[in-house]
Structure formats: structure tokens, C-alpha cells
Amino acid sequence: MINFVPNFLKKLFFRPNYSEIQSVNLASIEVISIIYIHCSMTILITIAIYFGLLLLISHLVGKGGNDAFFRGNRQSPWPVVAFGMIGASLSGVTFISVPGMVMNIDMTYLQMCIGFIFGYFLVAFVLLPLYYKYNLTSIYSYLDVRFGRVSRKTGSSFFLLSKMTGAAARLYLVCLILQQYVFDAMKVPFVLTVLGTLLLIWLYTHKSGIKAIVWTDSLQTLCLIVALILILLKASSMLNMSFGEAMTAVWNDSHSRIFEFNDWSSKQHFWKQFLSGIFIVIVMTGLDQDMMQKNLSCKSLKDSQKDLCSYGLLFAPVNFLFLSLGVLMMMLYAKTGTPLPIKGDSLLPDFIATGAMGQAVLVFFTIGIIASAFSSADSALTALTTSFCIDILGIEDSKEMKNEELRMKNPELTRKRVHLCMMVIFVLFILGFKALNNSSVIDAIYTIASYTYGPLLGLFAFGMTTRLMPRDKWVPLIAILSPVICFAIDKITFSTTNYQFGYEMLMFNGILTYVGLLIISKR
């Protein structure tokens, strides 16, 4: 059942490896077993309290109609949105992968984070004014304004496919962890674990949607940052340093290297990382309904720009703390005489799994991963509902509605039904991943999802930089052909030259879409 789960997650969330526990001079196996059982109950109680807080926040926010669900009545305070965006962007992968990056590439990841800052400013001052100018609820409605309804549905369909598969795959892993770590002992079937998790997310989002998520994301961001700070303080204490002394030690460490300007062939070269960071933000934030929906719920364009710029400036320091934690963990490995793991992803989880940092760190680390996964799942569920209602059903556009829909007296009921259906589809996707139980299939799903943003980049870039009108009915063909051609080029290039495309494939995919739109355009 758990063949898919990586080894470091098995060590972290399942029974610890006792040989590793002995290597760091911890207590006896019997005591560790008791702590392990106690931890599982503690985490279960913590999760229950956590969900209780989410439901309380949703209740306090109050009910709302479609405008509250889709746009938060355009009353979201920008500082709250900015703070919550941190948690929405930091996934469980951040906790696991970013600290481990220092083993192989030092702190050069910060070069991409610098690119992120410029990307957020471009989104704030180029894309946001466009969205506010047309008073958009779904950002893909711009494609309707510029090209036509077929283009709008094409952009929305690419988003729906990539977001559903990606969010469901991430939530699948969390549900699998909860099942093995907590619910198997209670004889709870996996299907009930999945259904219960999605039902709880649905409960605190179905009434007021984005209006509630803006506040629940802030709680989840708080959990993530508290977990990070607690682990940093614990690591500093175990090294007999104050926090300030630990940061000085990190800065003087050989792994604190940030910039790479010498080796052009390296993936870590500054300009490759910097430019990739800019385009990743433009596509994964500026052209993603999930990320932009929170920003469009602010009171005004100015507030939304302040929100995005503040969040962008905070992103690099937060990632610096994660990388600093990685350096401190390497110091801890050296101090305890523990061999470094082969893979960087195991640097932090392996050490925490031994119990050396204490039960509190284990609990907060687990909650941090779960909070980040649920944060992405709830906003994804809301964004999927919004995009389907606005772009596919056209409940805000009388021209798009069929006669039966025109007679519909309660569009809010339609939105609630779509939201419930999206939850059911989420459950089916997760159960499908469980049935496949194959890591290569899951990896393929993520790979396919990474190709779907290229056509969106090409569509929006073409609309903003030209006055040409592509033939609307041919746009889906171009949007499908571009990633297919990119995939073929990637395979052929790798087989002939051993060069594998990275983030630059996103830009190449967008250029292909752009050229395709030129070919089918009329003046």
C-alpha cells in the first residue's frame, strides 16, 4: 500500500528506524515506542483542534452569496491577503526540499527567489491593472474579451485540468500519510479518510469561499512560520548557540554561497535562475486563477498591488530562513557524527524522525506539512468552482447561458452544486491515484501539469502585445499542439544530446503558442 511513499516520509510518518535512533544516543527502543504512540494521538488531537479553528473562522466570516464566494465582496484587507499568500505558496515540499538544497547547490536557490520578486512586481503592475480594468472575476474572462468564448473556455480548461490533477496528487500524499500514521490503527478505511478530509475542507469553504479562505490561509501561514521558527530555535539550541550566533555561523559557512556567475553550463547560473524565477511567477501566479483570486478580492487595485508587492518582498527572506535551517542541520549532523543522507530531501525529515529534536518539533513539522497541503487544497477547490461557474457555465454572462439557464432563478444554488461536484471529483481523483499506486504515474501527472501553463502564457502574451485576432475556433488546436511539440522536442533532445530542458521549456512552450496564434490570426 505504501510503495509510492518516499523513504524519508516512511521514516517521518511511520515507525522510526531504530538503528538511526541509537546512532544519535537517544533513549531505549521501548521509550521511543511509547513516544511514537503518544505522538500519533497528539497529532490527531492537534489536527482536530486545527480544523475546529478553520470552521470557527468560516463561521465568523459569515455567509455570502456568489460575490462573497468568488471575490470576497472585494473587501479583503490587503495585509491579511499578503500574509496568507505566504502559506498558499509554501507547500510541504518547501519544508522538505528547500533546506536540503544546501547539500548540493548551497544557497543558490535565492537567485531564483530574487527573480520571484521582479516577477511579482510585473504581475502587480502589468496583469493586475488589466484584470481590474475589466472587473474580472475569473482571469480567463480576459481571453473572451480579447479573442472570444472558445479561447476563454480553452484557457479555463487548461487551468481546470492542471489544478485538479496537481492539487489532488498533493492531497493524496497527505491523506496516505494520515491513513498510515493515524487511521489504520483505528481500522478506518482509506476512502473514509479521503472523504472526511475533503468534507471538512468543503464545510469551511462552501458558504463564503474566498472570503473565508483569505482568513483561513492566514491561520495556516501562522502554523507554517511557527513551525519553522521553532525548528530553527531548537537547532540553534542543540548547537549551543543563540539565534543570532546561529545566523552568523550560517553566513560564514561555505554552503552560504548565493551567486553563481562563472559556469554558464550550470543550471544554477545567475541569469538562468533569475529569468526562470520571473517567468515562473508570471505563469504560476499571474495566470493562475487559484493564486489571483485572493488578490482580486482586495478593495481596490492599489490595495491588491500593495498586497502582491509586500508578499513578493517577504518571499525571499522566508526562503533564506529555510536554507539557513539546512545549513544548521548539516552542522547538527556533523556534531552528532551522523552520516549525511544521500538525498537532500532527507536532510531535515530524517533527523526529525529520529526524535532527537523532541516531540514538539515532530508535531509542528507534521502540522506544517498538513497545513500547507490543506491550504493549497481549499483554495484550489474554490478556484476550480469559480472558473467552472464563470468560464464554462457562464453564470455571470447572459450571452453564454442557455435558455434553461436564463430561467434559473438561483445562480447561487448552481454554484453550491458545482462546489459539491468539485469535491466529489477531488475524492475520485485521489482514489484513482490510490488505485494506480505507482510513483511513475504520479510523476507523469505532474509533468503533464507543468506543460499546461505554457499555452496560457502564450495566449495572454499574444493578447497584450498585439492587436491581431486569431481565429477563435482554432485556438484549442494551437493550445494542445504546443505542449505536445514541446514534449517531443524534449525527448528527442535528451536522446541525442543528453540535454534535458528545465524551466526554460515553459518559455519555449509559450513562444510556440504565440507563433501558432500568429499563424491563425487575421488583422
Side-chain angles (χ1 to χ4, degrees):
M1 178 191 250
I2 60 173
N3 291 336
F4 161 68
V5 182
N7 287 331
F8 70 85
L9 285 176
K10 292 178 184 177
K11 294 175 183 177
L12 176 59
F13 293 104
F14 311 126
R15 190 169 297 278
N17 185 314
Y18 292 131
S19 63
E20 292 184 1
I21 290 174
Q22 291 171 346
S23 70
V24 291
N25 299 319
L26 296 181
S28 64
I29 293 175
E30 290 78 8
V31 174
I32 293 300
S33 299
I34 295 172
I35 292 175
Y36 173 79
I37 294 170
H38 181 61
C39 275
S40 66
M41 291 305 300
T42 302
I43 290 173
L44 180 60
I45 294 170
T46 306
I47 292 173
I49 295 172
Y50 174 72
F51 267 116
L53 288 173
L54 294 178
L55 291 171
L56 176 62
I57 291 173
S58 178
H59 176 73
L60 293 175
V61 167
K63 297 181 180 180
N66 280 357
D67 191 52
F69 187 95
F70 295 146
R71 303 195 297 183
N73 301 126
R74 285 277 170 91
Q75 294 297 315
S76 300
W78 72 263
V80 177
V81 177
F83 186 68
M85 286 279 287
I86 298 174
S89 297
L90 297 178
S91 66
V93 176
T94 304
F95 261 100
I96 294 167
S97 295
V98 175
M101 287 180 177
V102 298
M103 283 182 56
N104 301 314
I105 61 173
D106 301 331
M107 287 190 174
T108 54
Y109 174 62
L110 284 177
Q111 298 175 122
M112 185 176 289
C113 292
I114 296 171
F116 289 163
I117 295 173
F118 285 84
Y120 286 119
F121 275 81
L122 284 173
V123 172
F125 294 101
V126 176
L127 289 175
L128 275 178
L130 187 70
Y131 300 152
Y132 272 87
K133 174 184 177 181
Y134 293 106
N135 194 29
L136 301 183
T137 300
S138 166
I139 62 175
Y140 309 114
S141 299
Y142 168 74
L143 299 177
D144 191 350
V145 174
R146 184 62 180 81
F147 303 136
R149 284 181 224 146
V150 174
S151 298
R152 171 185 180 177
K153 290 185 177 182
T154 300
S156 178
S157 298
F158 270 80
F159 165 74
L160 290 168
L161 174 64
S162 58
K163 182 58 66 173
M164 178 60 78
T165 53
R170 287 190 292 270
L171 193 59
Y172 160 68
L173 180 56
V174 174
C175 289
L176 191 63
I177 290 166
L178 289 174
Q179 180 68 27
Q180 293 291 319
Y181 189 39
V182 178
F183 295 116
D184 266 351
M186 301 179 182
K187 308 297 183 183
V188 176
F190 181 73
V191 64
L192 289 183
T193 300
V194 175
L195 190 59
T197 301
L198 266 301
L199 183 61
L200 285 169
I201 293 174
W202 177 83
L203 281 173
Y204 72 81
T205 59
H206 83 285
K207 289 184 179 180
S208 48
I210 201 67
K211 186 178 179 182
I213 285 175
V214 164
W215 293 94
T216 55
D217 274 1
S218 296
L219 172 65
Q220 293 170 124
T221 298
L222 181 63
C223 290
L224 294 173
I225 292 179
V226 166
L228 172 61
I229 292 175
L230 179 62
I231 297 172
L232 277 169
L233 291 175
K234 183 64 177 180
S236 302
S237 174
M238 292 179 70
L239 290 168
N240 299 317
M241 298 179 185
S242 66
F243 183 75
E245 291 171 339
M247 290 297 101
T248 301
V250 168
W251 189 253
N252 293 327
D253 192 271
S254 60
H255 289 282
S256 66
R257 179 179 65 99
I258 296 175
F259 298 104
E260 171 60 66
F261 287 104
N262 298 322
D263 186 4
W264 275 98
S265 63
S266 172
K267 289 185 178 181
Q268 271 59 58
H269 190 275
F270 174 80
W271 290 110
K272 291 182 180 179
Q273 292 284 299
F274 177 74
L275 293 175
S276 295
I278 292 175
F279 277 93
I280 286 171
V281 166
I282 291 173
V283 174
M284 303 293 286
T285 298
L287 304 182
D288 186 283
Q289 175 67 23
D290 184 8
M291 298 300 290
M292 293 311 296
Q293 193 165 352
K294 302 180 186 73
N295 295 280
L296 294 176
S297 71
C298 290
K299 298 177 182 179
S300 65
L301 171 60
K302 186 176 180 180
D303 277 0
S304 187
Q305 288 172 328
K306 287 190 289 186
D307 143 46
L308 202 56
C309 292
S310 300
Y311 157 65
L313 291 172
L314 286 172
F315 197 77
V318 170
N319 277 279
F320 173 75
L321 290 179
F322 276 108
L323 292 167
S324 298
L325 177 59
V327 175
L328 293 178
M329 294 308 302
M330 293 184 69
M331 295 178 184
L332 276 176
Y333 272 88
K335 180 179 179 180
T336 58
T338 307
L340 286 171
I342 297 174
K343 295 183 178 180
D345 283 357
S346 301
L347 182 67
L348 179 61
D350 274 8
F351 201 86
I352 291 178
T354 64
M357 302 187 80
Q359 178 184 347
V361 171
L362 174 60
V363 170
F364 272 94
F365 180 71
T366 307
I367 296 303
I369 292 176
I370 292 172
S372 60
F374 289 162
S375 176
S376 64
D378 59 18
S379 60
L381 186 60
T382 302
L384 289 165
T385 301
T386 301
S387 184
F388 191 85
C389 286
I390 303 298
D391 300 315
I392 306 301
L393 297 182
I395 66 173
E396 286 191 344
D397 183 2
S398 60
K399 294 183 297 181
E400 182 72 12
M401 287 181 165
K402 299 176 183 178
N403 290 333
E404 181 182 347
E405 294 169 327
L406 281 171
R407 293 193 298 268
M408 181 180 61
K409 296 181 180 180
N410 193 355
E412 185 178 344
L413 180 60
T414 298
R415 184 260 298 168
K416 289 180 178 179
R417 288 173 176 172
V418 170
H419 194 230
L420 183 62
C421 289
M422 288 296 173
M423 187 204 77
V424 173
I425 295 172
F426 247 110
V427 172
L428 294 176
F429 264 67
I430 293 174
L431 294 179
F433 295 151
K434 173 68 167 57
L436 293 172
N437 196 30
N438 189 318
S439 61
S440 62
V441 174
I442 304 297
D443 290 340
I445 289 170
Y446 276 120
T447 301
I448 293 170
S450 69
Y451 278 91
T452 58
Y453 284 98
L456 288 174
L457 176 62
L459 281 166
F460 276 83
F462 190 86
M464 296 172 65
T465 60
T466 75
R467 294 185 178 182
L468 298 176
M469 284 294 293
R471 290 171 175 81
D472 195 30
K473 65 179 181 180
W474 293 105
V475 169
L477 178 63
I478 298 299
I480 293 171
L481 281 177
S482 294
V484 170
I485 293 172
C486 285
F487 182 78
I489 290 174
D490 185 30
K491 293 299 180 183
I492 294 171
T493 304
F494 183 71
S495 62
T496 55
T497 67
N498 209 34
Y499 176 82
Q500 191 165 16
F501 283 94
Y503 294 122
E504 63 269 26
M505 180 57 79
L506 174 64
M507 293 174 270
F508 186 54
N509 195 349
I511 292 170
L512 272 182
T513 303
Y514 194 101
V515 172
L517 293 174
L518 279 174
I519 294 172
I520 63 170
S521 289
K522 55 185 177 181
R523 293 194 179 275

